[in-house]
Coordinates of all heavy atoms in Angstrom, one line a residue:
M1 N -20.0 -53.4 -80.2 CA -20.6 -53.6 -78.8 C -21.9 -52.9 -78.8 O -22.2 -51.9 -79.5 CB -19.7 -52.9 -77.8 CG -20.2 -53.0 -76.4 SD -19.1 -52.4 -75.1 CE -18.1 -53.8 -74.9
S2 N -22.8 -53.5 -78.1 CA -24.2 -52.9 -78.0 C -24.4 -52.5 -76.6 O -23.7 -52.8 -75.7 CB -25.2 -54.0 -78.4 OG -26.0 -54.4 -77.4
I3 N -25.5 -51.6 -76.4 CA -25.7 -51.1 -75.1 C -26.1 -52.2 -74.1 O -25.9 -52.0 -72.9 CB -26.8 -50.0 -75.2 CG1 -26.7 -49.0 -74.1 CG2 -28.2 -50.5 -75.4 CD1 -27.0 -47.6 -74.4
T4 N -26.7 -53.3 -74.6 CA -27.1 -54.4 -73.7 C -25.9 -55.2 -73.3 O -26.0 -56.1 -72.5 CB -28.2 -55.3 -74.4 OG1 -27.7 -55.7 -75.6 CG2 -29.5 -54.5 -74.5
D5 N -24.7 -54.9 -73.8 CA -23.5 -55.5 -73.3 C -23.1 -54.9 -72.0 O -22.3 -55.4 -71.3 CB -22.4 -55.5 -74.3 CG -22.6 -56.3 -75.6 OD1 -23.3 -57.3 -75.5 OD2 -22.1 -56.0 -76.6
I6 N -23.6 -53.7 -71.8 CA -23.2 -52.9 -70.6 C -24.4 -52.8 -69.6 O -24.1 -52.9 -68.4 CB -22.7 -51.5 -71.1 CG1 -21.6 -51.5 -72.1 CG2 -22.3 -50.6 -69.9 CD1 -21.3 -50.3 -72.8
L7 N -25.5 -52.6 -70.2 CA -26.7 -52.4 -69.3 C -27.7 -53.6 -69.5 O -27.8 -54.2 -70.6 CB -27.5 -51.2 -69.7 CG -26.8 -49.8 -69.6 CD1 -27.6 -48.7 -70.2 CD2 -26.4 -49.6 -68.1
S8 N -28.3 -54.0 -68.4 CA -29.2 -55.1 -68.4 C -30.5 -54.8 -69.3 O -31.1 -53.7 -69.1 CB -29.7 -55.4 -67.0 OG -30.9 -56.0 -67.0
P9 N -30.9 -55.7 -70.2 CA -32.1 -55.4 -71.0 C -33.3 -55.2 -70.1 O -34.2 -54.3 -70.5 CB -32.2 -56.7 -71.8 CG -30.8 -57.2 -71.9 CD -30.2 -56.9 -70.6
S10 N -33.4 -55.9 -69.0 CA -34.6 -55.6 -68.1 C -34.5 -54.3 -67.4 O -35.6 -53.6 -67.3 CB -34.7 -56.8 -67.1 OG -33.6 -56.8 -66.2
D11 N -33.3 -53.8 -67.1 CA -33.2 -52.5 -66.5 C -33.6 -51.4 -67.6 O -34.2 -50.4 -67.3 CB -31.8 -52.2 -66.0 CG -31.6 -53.0 -64.7 OD1 -32.5 -53.5 -64.1 OD2 -30.4 -53.1 -64.3
I12 N -33.1 -51.6 -68.8 CA -33.4 -50.7 -69.9 C -34.9 -50.6 -70.1 O -35.5 -49.5 -70.2 CB -32.7 -51.1 -71.2 CG1 -31.2 -50.9 -71.1 CG2 -33.3 -50.3 -72.4 CD1 -30.4 -51.4 -72.2
A13 N -35.6 -51.8 -70.1 CA -37.0 -51.9 -70.3 C -37.8 -51.1 -69.2 O -38.7 -50.4 -69.5 CB -37.5 -53.3 -70.4
A14 N -37.3 -51.3 -68.0 CA -38.0 -50.6 -66.9 C -37.8 -49.1 -67.0 O -38.7 -48.4 -66.7 CB -37.4 -51.2 -65.6
A15 N -36.6 -48.7 -67.4 CA -36.4 -47.2 -67.5 C -37.2 -46.7 -68.6 O -37.8 -45.5 -68.5 CB -34.9 -47.0 -67.8
L16 N -37.4 -47.4 -69.7 CA -38.2 -46.9 -70.8 C -39.7 -46.9 -70.4 O -40.5 -46.0 -70.8 CB -38.0 -47.7 -72.1 CG -36.6 -47.6 -72.7 CD1 -36.4 -48.6 -73.8 CD2 -36.5 -46.2 -73.3
R17 N -40.1 -47.9 -69.7 CA -41.6 -47.9 -69.2 C -41.9 -46.7 -68.3 O -42.9 -46.2 -68.4 CB -41.8 -49.2 -68.5 CG -42.3 -50.4 -69.3 CD -42.8 -51.5 -68.5 NE -42.0 -51.9 -67.4 CZ -41.0 -52.8 -67.4 NH1 -40.7 -53.3 -68.6 NH2 -40.3 -53.1 -66.4
D18 N -40.9 -46.4 -67.5 CA -41.1 -45.2 -66.6 C -41.3 -43.9 -67.3 O -41.9 -43.0 -66.7 CB -39.9 -45.2 -65.7 CG -40.1 -44.1 -64.6 OD1 -40.9 -44.3 -63.7 OD2 -39.4 -43.0 -64.7
C19 N -40.9 -43.8 -68.5 CA -41.0 -42.5 -69.2 C -41.7 -42.6 -70.5 O -41.4 -41.9 -71.5 CB -39.6 -41.8 -69.4 SG -38.5 -42.8 -70.4
Q20 N -42.7 -43.5 -70.6 CA -43.5 -43.7 -71.8 C -44.3 -42.4 -72.2 O -44.4 -42.1 -73.4 CB -44.4 -44.9 -71.7 CG -43.7 -46.2 -71.9 CD -44.7 -47.3 -71.8 OE1 -45.8 -47.2 -71.2 NE2 -44.3 -48.5 -72.3
A21 N -44.8 -41.8 -71.2 CA -45.7 -40.6 -71.5 C -44.8 -39.4 -71.9 O -43.8 -39.2 -71.3 CB -46.6 -40.3 -70.3
P22 N -45.3 -38.6 -72.8 CA -44.6 -37.4 -73.2 C -44.4 -36.5 -71.9 O -45.3 -36.4 -71.1 CB -45.5 -36.7 -74.2 CG -46.3 -37.8 -74.8 CD -46.5 -38.8 -73.7
D23 N -43.2 -35.9 -71.9 CA -42.8 -35.0 -70.8 C -42.7 -35.7 -69.4 O -42.8 -35.0 -68.4 CB -43.8 -33.8 -70.7 CG -43.6 -32.9 -71.9 OD1 -42.5 -32.6 -72.3 OD2 -44.6 -32.5 -72.5
S24 N -42.5 -37.0 -69.4 CA -42.3 -37.7 -68.2 C -40.8 -38.2 -68.0 O -40.5 -38.8 -67.0 CB -43.2 -39.0 -68.1 OG -42.8 -39.9 -69.2
F25 N -40.0 -37.8 -69.0 CA -38.6 -38.2 -68.9 C -37.8 -37.4 -67.9 O -37.8 -36.1 -68.0 CB -37.9 -38.1 -70.3 CG -36.4 -38.4 -70.3 CD1 -36.0 -39.7 -70.3 CD2 -35.5 -37.4 -70.3 CE1 -34.6 -40.0 -70.3 CE2 -34.2 -37.6 -70.4 CZ -33.7 -39.0 -70.3
S26 N -37.1 -38.0 -67.0 CA -36.2 -37.4 -66.0 C -34.9 -38.0 -66.2 O -34.7 -39.2 -66.0 CB -36.7 -37.6 -64.6 OG -35.7 -37.4 -63.7
P27 N -33.9 -37.2 -66.6 CA -32.5 -37.8 -66.9 C -32.0 -38.6 -65.6 O -31.6 -39.7 -65.8 CB -31.6 -36.6 -67.2 CG -32.6 -35.6 -67.7 CD -33.9 -35.8 -67.0
K28 N -32.1 -37.9 -64.5 CA -31.5 -38.6 -63.3 C -32.3 -39.9 -63.0 O -31.6 -40.9 -62.7 CB -31.7 -37.6 -62.1 CG -31.1 -38.1 -60.8 CD -31.2 -37.1 -59.7 CE -30.5 -37.7 -58.4 NZ -30.6 -36.7 -57.3
K29 N -33.6 -39.9 -63.1 CA -34.3 -41.1 -62.8 C -34.0 -42.2 -63.9 O -33.9 -43.4 -63.5 CB -35.8 -40.8 -62.7 CG -36.6 -41.9 -62.2 CD -38.1 -41.5 -62.0 CE -38.9 -42.6 -61.4 NZ -40.3 -42.2 -61.3
F30 N -33.9 -41.8 -65.1 CA -33.6 -42.8 -66.2 C -32.3 -43.4 -66.0 O -32.1 -44.6 -66.1 CB -33.7 -42.1 -67.6 CG -33.5 -43.0 -68.7 CD1 -34.6 -43.7 -69.2 CD2 -32.2 -43.3 -69.2 CE1 -34.4 -44.6 -70.3 CE2 -32.1 -44.1 -70.3 CZ -33.1 -44.8 -70.8
F31 N -31.3 -42.6 -65.6 CA -29.9 -43.1 -65.4 C -29.9 -44.1 -64.2 O -29.2 -45.1 -64.2 CB -28.9 -42.0 -65.1 CG -28.7 -41.1 -66.3 CD1 -28.3 -39.8 -66.2 CD2 -29.0 -41.5 -67.6 CE1 -28.2 -38.9 -67.3 CE2 -28.9 -40.7 -68.7 CZ -28.4 -39.4 -68.5
Q32 N -30.7 -43.8 -63.2 CA -30.8 -44.7 -62.0 C -31.5 -46.0 -62.4 O -30.9 -47.1 -62.1 CB -31.5 -44.0 -60.8 CG -30.7 -42.9 -60.2 CD -31.6 -42.1 -59.2 OE1 -32.8 -42.1 -59.2 NE2 -30.9 -41.4 -58.3
I33 N -32.6 -45.9 -63.0 CA -33.4 -47.2 -63.3 C -32.6 -48.0 -64.3 O -32.6 -49.2 -64.2 CB -34.8 -46.8 -63.8 CG1 -35.6 -46.1 -62.7 CG2 -35.5 -48.0 -64.3 CD1 -37.0 -45.6 -63.1
S34 N -32.0 -47.4 -65.3 CA -31.3 -48.2 -66.3 C -30.0 -48.8 -65.8 O -29.5 -49.7 -66.5 CB -31.0 -47.3 -67.6 OG -30.1 -46.3 -67.2
G35 N -29.5 -48.3 -64.7 CA -28.3 -48.8 -64.2 C -27.1 -48.0 -64.6 O -25.9 -48.3 -64.2
M36 N -27.3 -47.0 -65.4 CA -26.2 -46.1 -65.8 C -25.5 -45.5 -64.7 O -24.2 -45.3 -64.7 CB -26.6 -45.1 -66.9 CG -26.9 -45.7 -68.2 SD -27.7 -44.6 -69.4 CE -26.4 -43.3 -69.6
S37 N -26.2 -45.1 -63.7 CA -25.6 -44.3 -62.6 C -24.6 -45.2 -61.8 O -23.8 -44.7 -61.0 CB -26.7 -43.8 -61.6 OG -27.5 -44.8 -61.1
K38 N -24.6 -46.5 -62.0 CA -23.7 -47.4 -61.2 C -22.6 -47.9 -62.1 O -21.8 -48.7 -61.6 CB -24.5 -48.6 -60.7 CG -25.6 -48.3 -59.8 CD -26.4 -49.5 -59.4 CE -27.6 -49.1 -58.5 NZ -28.4 -50.2 -58.2
K39 N -22.4 -47.4 -63.3 CA -21.4 -47.9 -64.2 C -20.1 -47.1 -64.0 O -20.1 -45.9 -63.6 CB -21.8 -47.8 -65.6 CG -23.0 -48.7 -65.9 CD -22.7 -50.1 -65.6 CE -23.9 -51.0 -65.8 NZ -23.7 -52.4 -65.4
S40 N -19.0 -47.7 -64.3 CA -17.6 -47.1 -64.2 C -17.5 -46.1 -65.3 O -18.3 -46.0 -66.3 CB -16.6 -48.2 -64.4 OG -16.5 -48.6 -65.8
S41 N -16.5 -45.2 -65.2 CA -16.2 -44.2 -66.1 C -16.0 -44.8 -67.5 O -16.5 -44.2 -68.5 CB -15.0 -43.4 -65.7 OG -14.6 -42.4 -66.6
S42 N -15.2 -45.8 -67.6 CA -15.0 -46.4 -68.9 C -16.2 -47.0 -69.5 O -16.4 -46.9 -70.8 CB -13.9 -47.5 -68.8 OG -14.3 -48.6 -68.0
Q43 N -17.1 -47.6 -68.7 CA -18.4 -48.1 -69.2 C -19.3 -47.0 -69.7 O -19.9 -47.1 -70.7 CB -19.1 -48.9 -68.2 CG -18.5 -50.2 -67.9 CD -19.1 -50.9 -66.7 OE1 -19.3 -50.3 -65.6 NE2 -19.4 -52.2 -66.8
L44 N -19.3 -45.8 -69.0 CA -20.1 -44.7 -69.4 C -19.6 -44.1 -70.7 O -20.3 -43.7 -71.6 CB -20.1 -43.6 -68.3 CG -20.9 -44.0 -67.1 CD1 -20.7 -43.0 -66.0 CD2 -22.4 -44.2 -67.4
K45 N -18.2 -44.1 -70.9 CA -17.7 -43.6 -72.1 C -18.1 -44.5 -73.3 O -18.3 -44.0 -74.4 CB -16.2 -43.5 -72.0 CG -15.7 -42.3 -71.2 CD -14.3 -42.1 -71.1 CE -13.9 -40.9 -70.3 NZ -12.5 -40.8 -70.1
E46 N -18.2 -45.8 -73.1 CA -18.6 -46.7 -74.1 C -20.1 -46.5 -74.4 O -20.5 -46.5 -75.6 CB -18.4 -48.2 -73.7 CG -18.7 -49.2 -74.8 CD -17.9 -49.0 -76.1 OE1 -16.8 -48.5 -76.0 OE2 -18.5 -49.4 -77.1
I47 N -20.9 -46.3 -73.4 CA -22.3 -45.9 -73.6 C -22.4 -44.6 -74.4 O -23.2 -44.5 -75.4 CB -23.1 -45.8 -72.3 CG1 -23.2 -47.2 -71.6 CG2 -24.5 -45.2 -72.5 CD1 -23.7 -47.2 -70.2
F48 N -21.6 -43.6 -74.0 CA -21.6 -42.4 -74.8 C -21.3 -42.6 -76.2 O -21.9 -42.0 -77.1 CB -20.6 -41.4 -74.2 CG -20.5 -40.1 -74.8 CD1 -21.3 -39.0 -74.4 CD2 -19.7 -39.9 -75.9 CE1 -21.3 -37.8 -75.0 CE2 -19.6 -38.6 -76.6 CZ -20.4 -37.6 -76.1
R49 N -20.3 -43.4 -76.5 CA -19.9 -43.7 -77.9 C -21.1 -44.3 -78.7 O -21.3 -43.9 -79.8 CB -18.7 -44.7 -77.9 CG -18.1 -44.8 -79.3 CD -17.1 -45.9 -79.4 NE -17.7 -47.3 -79.1 CZ -18.6 -47.9 -79.9 NH1 -18.9 -47.4 -81.1 NH2 -19.1 -49.1 -79.6
I50 N -21.8 -45.2 -78.0 CA -23.0 -45.8 -78.7 C -24.1 -44.7 -78.9 O -24.8 -44.7 -80.0 CB -23.5 -46.9 -77.8 CG1 -22.5 -48.1 -77.8 CG2 -24.9 -47.4 -78.3 CD1 -22.8 -49.1 -76.7
L51 N -24.3 -43.8 -78.0 CA -25.3 -42.8 -78.1 C -24.9 -41.7 -79.1 O -25.8 -41.0 -79.7 CB -25.6 -42.2 -76.7 CG -26.2 -43.1 -75.7 CD1 -26.3 -42.4 -74.3 CD2 -27.5 -43.6 -76.1
D52 N -23.6 -41.5 -79.3 CA -23.2 -40.5 -80.3 C -23.4 -41.0 -81.7 O -22.5 -41.6 -82.3 CB -21.7 -40.2 -80.0 CG -21.1 -39.2 -80.9 OD1 -21.8 -38.5 -81.6 OD2 -19.8 -39.1 -80.9
N53 N -24.5 -40.9 -82.2 CA -25.0 -41.5 -83.5 C -24.0 -41.2 -84.7 O -23.7 -42.0 -85.5 CB -26.4 -41.0 -83.8 CG -27.0 -41.9 -84.8 OD1 -26.8 -43.1 -84.8 ND2 -27.8 -41.3 -85.7
D54 N -23.6 -39.9 -84.7 CA -22.7 -39.5 -85.9 C -21.2 -39.7 -85.6 O -20.4 -39.3 -86.4 CB -23.0 -38.1 -86.4 CG -22.8 -37.0 -85.3 OD1 -22.3 -37.3 -84.2 OD2 -23.1 -35.9 -85.6
Q55 N -20.9 -40.2 -84.4 CA -19.5 -40.4 -83.9 C -18.6 -39.2 -84.0 O -17.5 -39.2 -84.3 CB -18.9 -41.6 -84.7 CG -19.6 -42.9 -84.6 CD -19.7 -43.4 -83.1 OE1 -18.6 -43.6 -82.5 NE2 -20.8 -43.5 -82.6
S56 N -19.2 -38.0 -83.7 CA -18.5 -36.7 -83.7 C -17.7 -36.5 -82.5 O -16.9 -35.5 -82.4 CB -19.5 -35.6 -83.9 OG -20.4 -35.5 -82.8
G57 N -18.0 -37.3 -81.4 CA -17.3 -37.0 -80.2 C -18.2 -36.2 -79.2 O -17.8 -35.9 -78.1
F58 N -19.3 -35.8 -79.8 CA -20.3 -35.0 -79.0 C -21.7 -35.5 -79.3 O -22.0 -36.0 -80.4 CB -20.2 -33.5 -79.4 CG -18.9 -32.9 -79.1 CD1 -17.9 -32.8 -80.1 CD2 -18.6 -32.4 -77.9 CE1 -16.7 -32.2 -79.8 CE2 -17.4 -31.8 -77.6 CZ -16.4 -31.7 -78.6
I59 N -22.6 -35.2 -78.4 CA -24.0 -35.5 -78.6 C -24.7 -34.2 -78.7 O -24.7 -33.4 -77.7 CB -24.6 -36.4 -77.5 CG1 -23.9 -37.8 -77.5 CG2 -26.1 -36.6 -77.7 CD1 -24.3 -38.7 -76.3
E60 N -25.2 -33.8 -79.8 CA -25.9 -32.6 -80.0 C -27.3 -32.7 -79.8 O -27.9 -33.8 -79.7 CB -25.6 -32.1 -81.5 CG -24.2 -31.8 -81.8 CD -23.4 -33.0 -82.3 OE1 -23.9 -34.1 -82.5 OE2 -22.1 -32.9 -82.4
E61 N -28.0 -31.5 -79.7 CA -29.4 -31.5 -79.5 C -30.3 -32.3 -80.4 O -31.2 -33.0 -80.0 CB -29.9 -30.0 -79.5 CG -31.4 -29.9 -79.0 CD -31.8 -28.4 -78.8 OE1 -30.9 -27.5 -78.9 OE2 -33.0 -28.2 -78.6
D62 N -29.9 -32.3 -81.7 CA -30.7 -33.1 -82.6 C -30.6 -34.6 -82.4 O -31.5 -35.4 -82.7 CB -30.4 -32.7 -84.1 CG -29.0 -33.0 -84.5 OD1 -28.1 -32.8 -83.6 OD2 -28.7 -33.5 -85.6
E63 N -29.4 -35.0 -81.8 CA -29.3 -36.5 -81.5 C -30.0 -36.8 -80.2 O -30.5 -37.9 -80.0 CB -27.8 -36.8 -81.3 CG -27.0 -36.8 -82.6 CD -25.5 -37.0 -82.3 OE1 -24.9 -36.2 -81.7 OE2 -25.0 -38.1 -82.8
L64 N -30.1 -35.8 -79.3 CA -30.8 -36.1 -78.0 C -32.3 -36.4 -78.2 O -32.8 -37.1 -77.4 CB -30.6 -34.8 -77.1 CG -29.3 -34.7 -76.4 CD1 -29.2 -33.4 -75.6 CD2 -28.9 -35.9 -75.6
K65 N -32.9 -35.8 -79.2 CA -34.3 -36.1 -79.4 C -34.6 -37.6 -79.5 O -35.6 -38.1 -79.1 CB -34.8 -35.5 -80.7 CG -34.9 -34.0 -80.7 CD -35.6 -33.4 -81.9 CE -34.7 -33.7 -83.2 NZ -35.3 -33.0 -84.4
Y66 N -33.6 -38.3 -80.1 CA -33.7 -39.7 -80.3 C -33.0 -40.6 -79.2 O -32.8 -41.8 -79.4 CB -33.2 -40.1 -81.7 CG -33.9 -39.3 -82.7 CD1 -33.2 -38.1 -83.3 CD2 -35.2 -39.6 -83.2 CE1 -33.9 -37.4 -84.2 CE2 -35.8 -38.8 -84.1 CZ -35.2 -37.7 -84.6 OH -35.8 -36.9 -85.6
F67 N -32.7 -40.0 -78.1 CA -32.0 -40.6 -77.0 C -32.6 -41.9 -76.6 O -31.9 -42.9 -76.5 CB -31.9 -39.6 -75.8 CG -31.3 -40.2 -74.6 CD1 -29.9 -40.2 -74.4 CD2 -32.0 -40.7 -73.5 CE1 -29.3 -40.7 -73.3 CE2 -31.4 -41.2 -72.4 CZ -30.0 -41.2 -72.3
L68 N -33.9 -42.0 -76.4 CA -34.5 -43.2 -75.9 C -34.5 -44.3 -77.0 O -34.4 -45.5 -76.7 CB -36.0 -42.9 -75.5 CG -36.2 -42.0 -74.3 CD1 -37.7 -41.8 -74.1 CD2 -35.5 -42.5 -73.1
Q69 N -34.5 -43.9 -78.3 CA -34.5 -44.8 -79.3 C -33.1 -45.5 -79.5 O -33.0 -46.6 -80.1 CB -34.9 -44.2 -80.7 CG -36.3 -43.8 -80.7 CD -36.7 -43.1 -82.0 OE1 -35.9 -42.8 -82.8 NE2 -38.0 -42.9 -82.1
R70 N -32.1 -45.0 -78.9 CA -30.8 -45.6 -78.9 C -30.8 -46.8 -78.0 O -29.9 -47.7 -78.0 CB -29.7 -44.6 -78.6 CG -29.6 -43.4 -79.4 CD -29.3 -43.7 -80.9 NE -28.0 -44.2 -81.0 CZ -27.5 -44.9 -82.0 NH1 -28.3 -45.2 -83.0 NH2 -26.2 -45.3 -82.0
F71 N -31.7 -46.8 -77.0 CA -31.9 -47.9 -76.1 C -32.8 -49.0 -76.6 O -32.6 -50.2 -76.3 CB -32.4 -47.4 -74.7 CG -31.3 -46.6 -74.0 CD1 -31.3 -45.2 -74.2 CD2 -30.4 -47.1 -73.1 CE1 -30.3 -44.4 -73.6 CE2 -29.5 -46.4 -72.5 CZ -29.4 -45.0 -72.7
E72 N -33.8 -48.6 -77.3 CA -34.8 -49.5 -78.0 C -35.4 -48.8 -79.2 O -35.9 -47.7 -79.0 CB -35.9 -49.9 -77.0 CG -36.9 -50.8 -77.6 CD -38.0 -51.1 -76.5 OE1 -37.7 -52.0 -75.7 OE2 -39.0 -50.5 -76.6
C73 N -35.3 -49.4 -80.3 CA -35.7 -48.7 -81.6 C -37.1 -48.2 -81.6 O -37.5 -47.3 -82.2 CB -35.3 -49.5 -82.8 SG -36.1 -51.1 -82.9
G74 N -38.0 -48.9 -80.9 CA -39.4 -48.5 -80.8 C -39.8 -47.5 -79.8 O -40.9 -47.1 -79.7
A75 N -38.8 -47.0 -79.1 CA -39.1 -46.0 -78.0 C -39.5 -44.7 -78.6 O -39.2 -44.4 -79.8 CB -37.9 -45.9 -77.1
R76 N -40.1 -43.9 -77.8 CA -40.6 -42.6 -78.3 C -39.5 -41.6 -78.4 O -38.4 -41.7 -77.9 CB -41.7 -42.0 -77.4 CG -41.2 -41.6 -76.0 CD -42.3 -41.0 -75.2 NE -41.8 -40.5 -73.9 CZ -41.3 -39.3 -73.7 NH1 -41.2 -38.4 -74.6 NH2 -40.9 -39.0 -72.5
V77 N -39.7 -40.5 -79.2 CA -38.8 -39.4 -79.3 C -39.0 -38.5 -78.1 O -40.2 -38.3 -77.7 CB -39.1 -38.7 -80.6 CG1 -38.2 -37.4 -80.8 CG2 -38.9 -39.6 -81.8
L78 N -38.0 -37.9 -77.6 CA -38.1 -36.9 -76.5 C -38.8 -35.7 -77.0 O -38.6 -35.2 -78.2 CB -36.8 -36.6 -75.9 CG -36.0 -37.7 -75.1 CD1 -34.7 -37.1 -74.7 CD2 -36.8 -38.2 -74.0
T79 N -39.6 -35.1 -76.2 CA -40.2 -33.8 -76.5 C -39.2 -32.7 -76.5 O -38.0 -32.9 -76.0 CB -41.3 -33.4 -75.5 OG1 -40.7 -33.2 -74.2 CG2 -42.4 -34.5 -75.4
T80 N -39.5 -31.6 -77.1 CA -38.6 -30.4 -77.1 C -38.1 -30.0 -75.7 O -37.0 -29.8 -75.5 CB -39.2 -29.2 -77.8 OG1 -39.6 -29.6 -79.2 CG2 -38.3 -28.0 -77.9
S81 N -39.1 -30.0 -74.8 CA -38.7 -29.6 -73.4 C -37.8 -30.6 -72.7 O -36.9 -30.3 -72.0 CB -39.9 -29.3 -72.5 OG -40.8 -30.4 -72.4
E82 N -38.1 -31.9 -73.0 CA -37.3 -33.0 -72.4 C -35.9 -32.9 -73.0 O -34.9 -33.1 -72.2 CB -37.9 -34.3 -72.7 CG -39.2 -34.6 -71.9 CD -39.8 -35.9 -72.4 OE1 -39.9 -36.2 -73.6 OE2 -40.4 -36.6 -71.5
T83 N -35.8 -32.7 -74.3 CA -34.5 -32.6 -74.9 C -33.7 -31.4 -74.4 O -32.5 -31.6 -74.0 CB -34.7 -32.4 -76.5 OG1 -35.4 -33.5 -77.0 CG2 -33.3 -32.3 -77.2
K84 N -34.3 -30.3 -74.2 CA -33.6 -29.1 -73.6 C -33.2 -29.4 -72.2 O -32.1 -28.9 -71.8 CB -34.5 -27.9 -73.8 CG -34.6 -27.4 -75.2 CD -35.3 -26.1 -75.4 CE -35.4 -25.7 -76.8 NZ -34.2 -25.7 -77.6
T85 N -34.0 -30.0 -71.4 CA -33.7 -30.3 -70.0 C -32.5 -31.3 -70.0 O -31.6 -31.1 -69.2 CB -34.9 -31.0 -69.3 OG1 -36.0 -30.1 -69.3 CG2 -34.6 -31.4 -67.9
L86 N -32.5 -32.3 -70.8 CA -31.4 -33.2 -70.8 C -30.1 -32.5 -71.3 O -29.0 -32.7 -70.7 CB -31.7 -34.4 -71.8 CG -30.6 -35.5 -71.9 CD1 -30.1 -36.1 -70.6 CD2 -31.1 -36.6 -72.9
L87 N -30.2 -31.7 -72.3 CA -29.0 -30.9 -72.7 C -28.5 -30.0 -71.6 O -27.3 -30.0 -71.3 CB -29.4 -30.1 -74.0 CG -28.2 -29.3 -74.6 CD1 -27.1 -30.2 -75.0 CD2 -28.7 -28.5 -75.8
A88 N -29.4 -29.3 -71.0 CA -29.0 -28.4 -69.9 C -28.3 -29.1 -68.8 O -27.4 -28.6 -68.1 CB -30.2 -27.6 -69.4
A89 N -28.8 -30.3 -68.5 CA -28.2 -31.1 -67.4 C -26.8 -31.5 -67.6 O -26.0 -31.7 -66.7 CB -29.1 -32.3 -67.0
A90 N -26.5 -31.7 -68.9 CA -25.1 -32.3 -69.2 C -24.2 -31.3 -70.0 O -23.0 -31.6 -70.1 CB -25.4 -33.6 -70.0
D91 N -24.7 -30.2 -70.5 CA -23.9 -29.3 -71.2 C -23.3 -28.3 -70.3 O -23.8 -27.2 -70.1 CB -24.7 -28.6 -72.3 CG -24.0 -27.6 -73.1 OD1 -22.7 -27.6 -73.1 OD2 -24.6 -26.8 -73.8
H92 N -22.2 -28.6 -69.7 CA -21.6 -27.8 -68.6 C -20.9 -26.5 -69.2 O -20.8 -25.6 -68.4 CB -20.6 -28.6 -67.8 CG -21.3 -29.8 -67.2 ND1 -22.2 -29.7 -66.2 CD2 -21.2 -31.1 -67.4 CE1 -22.7 -30.8 -65.8 NE2 -22.0 -31.7 -66.5
D93 N -20.5 -26.5 -70.4 CA -19.9 -25.3 -70.9 C -20.8 -24.4 -71.8 O -20.4 -23.4 -72.3 CB -18.6 -25.6 -71.7 CG -18.8 -26.5 -72.9 OD1 -19.9 -26.8 -73.3 OD2 -17.7 -26.9 -73.5
G94 N -22.0 -24.9 -72.0 CA -23.0 -24.1 -72.7 C -22.8 -24.0 -74.2 O -23.3 -23.1 -74.9
D95 N -22.1 -24.9 -74.8 CA -21.8 -24.9 -76.2 C -22.9 -25.6 -77.1 O -22.8 -25.7 -78.3 CB -20.5 -25.4 -76.6 CG -20.3 -26.9 -76.3 OD1 -21.2 -27.5 -75.7 OD2 -19.2 -27.5 -76.6
G96 N -23.9 -26.1 -76.4 CA -25.0 -26.7 -77.2 C -24.8 -28.2 -77.5 O -25.5 -28.8 -78.3
K97 N -23.8 -28.8 -76.9 CA -23.5 -30.2 -77.1 C -22.9 -30.8 -75.9 O -22.4 -30.1 -75.0 CB -22.6 -30.4 -78.4 CG -21.4 -29.6 -78.4 CD -20.7 -29.7 -79.7 CE -19.4 -28.8 -79.7 NZ -18.8 -28.8 -81.0
I98 N -22.9 -32.1 -75.8 CA -22.5 -32.9 -74.6 C -21.2 -33.6 -75.1 O -21.2 -34.4 -76.1 CB -23.5 -33.8 -74.1 CG1 -24.8 -33.1 -73.7 CG2 -23.0 -34.6 -73.0 CD1 -26.0 -34.0 -73.5
G99 N -20.1 -33.5 -74.3 CA -18.9 -34.2 -74.6 C -18.9 -35.4 -73.7 O -19.6 -35.6 -72.7
A100 N -18.0 -36.3 -74.0 CA -17.9 -37.6 -73.2 C -17.5 -37.4 -71.8 O -17.8 -38.1 -70.9 CB -16.9 -38.5 -73.9
E101 N -16.7 -36.3 -71.5 CA -16.3 -36.0 -70.2 C -17.4 -35.5 -69.3 O -17.5 -35.6 -68.2 CB -15.1 -35.0 -70.2 CG -13.9 -35.5 -70.9 CD -13.4 -36.9 -70.5 OE1 -13.3 -37.1 -69.2 OE2 -13.1 -37.7 -71.3

């Protein structure tokens, strides 16, 4: 399964266009524009599985740098501050990684 089986390619493109400039990525805004915020729990878990590059069951900080590239291979890498912001927004237990839940 690919991410475009769950999210609209045009919504993904719009979300990527919105954060082309370094330090312009906002997780909440990206999730809204891409349509992720409207997906069911099972669809979000499938997206998580796709984003979990090493299939460890967690998305670690080093994987988050390449978050946008999981949506489109030519997308930019997140900056260090963007990566840390995304991690902080989703790492509820402070272990330095994001679980599917």
Side-chain angles (χ1 to χ4, degrees):
M1 179 174 280
S2 116
I3 206 147
T4 55
D5 292 333
I6 304 166
L7 300 174
S8 156
S10 62
D11 289 345
I12 291 171
L16 291 171
R17 271 193 310 276
D18 184 71
C19 62
Q20 283 181 340
D23 294 316
S24 65
F25 176 78
S26 162
K28 185 176 181 179
K29 192 172 182 186
F30 185 87
F31 296 155
Q32 289 172 339
I33 295 171
S34 69
M36 287 174 60
S37 61
K38 297 178 184 174
K39 297 302 175 185
S40 69
S41 177
S42 63
Q43 289 171 312
L44 290 174
K45 285 181 182 178
E46 184 59 29
I47 292 170
F48 180 91
R49 189 192 63 73
I50 293 166
L51 296 175
D52 180 12
N53 197 39
D54 64 4
Q55 299 301 300
S56 66
F58 297 96
I59 299 175
E60 295 87 6
E61 187 171 349
D62 62 323
E63 289 175 297
L64 286 178
K65 291 188 295 189
Y66 305 101
F67 177 80
L68 297 177
Q69 292 181 351
R70 303 299 290 161
F71 291 87
E72 181 181 278
C73 61
R76 71 177 180 87
V77 175
L78 292 178
T79 66
T80 300
S81 63
E82 290 171 322
T83 302
K84 291 190 182 302
T85 298
L86 180 54
L87 182 62
D91 179 17
H92 300 293
D93 62 4
D95 66 354
K97 53 190 175 183
I98 301 168
E101 299 305 317

